[in-house]
Amino acid sequence: MKNILLIGLGRFGRHIAMKLNDMDHYVMAVDKNEDRVNAVLPYVTNAQIGDSTNEEFLSSLGVRNFDVCIVAIGDNFQSSLETASLLKELGATKVVSRASQDVQAKFLLRNGADEVVYPEKQLAIWTAICYSSDHIFDYIELDADHAIFEVSVPSAWAGKPIGHIDVRRKYNINILAIKQNEKMAMTLITPETCLPENGTMLVLGSHKDIQKCFRI
């Protein structure tokens, strides 16, 4: 369990709070809007109404005591930038900030943020990839060249052992797990594992190899 300071409780911040609650983390939530703070009270350990660009207020939260400080402010970049900078000045261990543009990310990384997330950009990429093909069900980007795809089992592979198909040598990809009926069915994959009909696979590889293998 980690101690997390979450600043900014709009839709993005609220969803972060809900997920952190599911994961049993200690969360201190902050926003200057009272209604937003009240909306997340069921999902957080503690909450404060206040302006995160106010150094005195931010200092009173004891930012050094948190493992991660997440700045989820999305409607005011100036406030996001000032908050990230103040957090670092006050000794925050790790600051993660939200950005919607590359230029914002550059400023944030130069002024306190250790890492930057792009919720709109990342969701846009996921949507474009998943809904431009009939047999892609999920997608996780690992870096610029590699990703994990959830794809349907090709009909020519159904019922055959993975070793017989020789997936690694022929296609340069790895099968990590098999899902059936939207539930993980197999996570211990061996050459003897048979691929089910009407199932899906989590496959790891380069974008180029996966696109070539599954004709994406």
Side-chain angles (χ1 to χ4, degrees), residues 3-7 28-30 58 61 63 66 68-70 87:
N3 293 328
I4 298 173
L5 175 61
L6 174 61
I7 301 174
M28 163 72 82
V30 173
L58 206 58
L61 301 177
V63 299
F66 294 95
V68 183
C69 297
I70 301 174
L87 285 169

Side-chain angles (χ1 to χ4, degrees), residues 157-207:
W157 293 11
K160 296 180 180 179
I162 291 174
H164 176 76
I165 303 168
D166 204 6
V167 173
R168 288 184 181 177
R169 187 183 66 82
K170 287 184 179 178
Y171 305 104
N172 201 31
I173 64 172
N174 288 289
I175 298 176
L176 304 179
I178 296 170
K179 291 177 68 176
Q180 284 185 292
N181 301 319
E182 299 185 356
K183 293 183 179 180
M184 207 67 71
M186 298 181 206
T187 55
L188 182 60
I189 304 299
T190 69
E192 290 73 37
T193 300
C194 288
L195 295 172
E197 188 176 357
N198 300 322
T200 63
M201 309 175 293
L202 298 183
V203 297
L204 166 65
S206 69
H207 292 276

Side-chain angles (χ1 to χ4, degrees), residues 4 47 50 65 67 82 92 96 137 142-143 165 194 199 202 211:
I4 298 173
N65 298 321
D67 298 299
E82 290 181 22
V96 179
F137 298 91
L142 301 180
D143 60 25
I165 303 168
C194 288
L202 298 183
Q211 288 170 347

Side-chain angles (χ1 to χ4, degrees), residues 99-102 117-128 141:
S100 58
Q101 303 173 31
D102 288 340
V117 294
Y118 295 83
E120 293 89 354
K121 180 179 179 180
Q122 290 161 345
L123 182 58
I125 293 172
W126 182 91
T127 302
E141 184 175 274

